[in-house]
Amino acid sequence: MHREDSNQCSLCDQWSNHKVPGPFNRTYYRCKNCELIFVDPSDFISEKEELRRYDLHENNSDDEGYQTFLKKAVEPALLYLNDEMQGLDYGSGLNKVLSLLLKEQGIKCDNFDYYYHPELEDKKYEFIFSTETFEHFTDPKKELEKIDNLLVEGGYLVVMTKTWISEERFEKWHYARDYTHVSFFNVETFHYIAKKWKYRVLENIRNTVFILQKSN
């Protein structure tokens, strides 16, 4: 999961010497090619510590607040989905809440999570959700290639992650003040992703939820 090169962009492979002030005395680089801000791999926490922190999350299926949070991604995506599609929640967490929300709409959705549900079926999907997961990617290029290979042509990728606005606000930004967050996307980063992997950005909802469609 972890890259070894320190200031090579983990998304587009460009080298960056542009450091951004951030919390926890970690080293952050900003890539001027794709506008990703990424943490120096030497500052990553261990996978054991990462899992310990994830185990503290209380994202249960009966938590109405968490359901409401996930619906920020689910509800706008329903415009593009139907009950004949098969989807995947990429980064589902332990309790598979998003797939349960889709099941209520009669839509089938498998689950994948690096720690909790690590087995992937050998098939393609018409849509993939990845909510509050991209910021955890230590190697976003590798993860996006994996996601792209799982998605059929014409399929939909729904991503929810907070995007950084300015370097000046980054150091005090709550999203950067989570040790498990190591990749920080910008709106322009999603345009880079769309161009690189041949997608169209269909929706940008409050710079937090992005719906992309893979080109045919």
Side-chain angles (χ1 to χ4, degrees), residues 6-7 16-22 26-32 37-38 40 43 167 170:
S6 59
N7 61 330
S16 174
N17 291 315
H18 185 96
K19 293 183 178 180
V20 177
R26 298 196 294 184
T27 300
Y28 302 81
Y29 294 99
R30 175 183 174 183
C31 177
K32 294 298 186 70
I37 292 178
F38 56 98
D40 187 310
D43 291 322
E167 289 188 18
F170 185 82

Side-chain angles (χ1 to χ4, degrees), residues 118-142:
E119 299 299 324
L120 269 172
E121 294 191 37
D122 183 20
K123 61 182 178 182
K124 297 274 190 175
Y125 294 94
E126 282 78 34
F127 66 86
I128 295 175
F129 277 83
S130 191
T131 61
E132 294 293 295
T133 300
F134 270 46
E135 62 275 10
H136 300 281
F137 288 162
T138 57
D139 193 341
K141 178 182 177 182
K142 179 181 177 181

Side-chain angles (χ1 to χ4, degrees), residues 65-111:
Y66 187 57
Q67 289 185 31
T68 299
F69 175 73
L70 290 179
K71 285 177 182 178
K72 293 178 182 179
V74 171
E75 290 180 350
L78 290 176
L79 177 66
Y80 303 96
L81 308 182
N82 62 62
D83 59 9
E84 295 182 356
M85 292 179 170
Q86 174 66 61
L88 175 69
D89 182 6
Y90 194 94
S92 62
L94 175 63
N95 294 307
K96 311 178 185 179
V97 180
L98 188 141
S99 62
L100 293 175
L101 292 175
L102 289 171
K103 185 178 180 180
E104 291 176 357
Q105 304 294 324
I107 298 172
K108 300 178 291 295
C109 185
D110 291 341
N111 296 277

Side-chain angles (χ1 to χ4, degrees), residues 90 130-138 140 144 147 157-161 182-185 190 193:
Y90 194 94
S130 191
T131 61
E132 294 293 295
T133 300
F134 270 46
E135 62 275 10
H136 300 281
F137 288 162
T138 57
L144 277 157
I147 288 170
L157 172 60
V158 185
V159 179
M160 182 162 67
T161 187
V182 295
S183 294
F184 305 92
F185 295 72
F190 281 95
I193 289 169

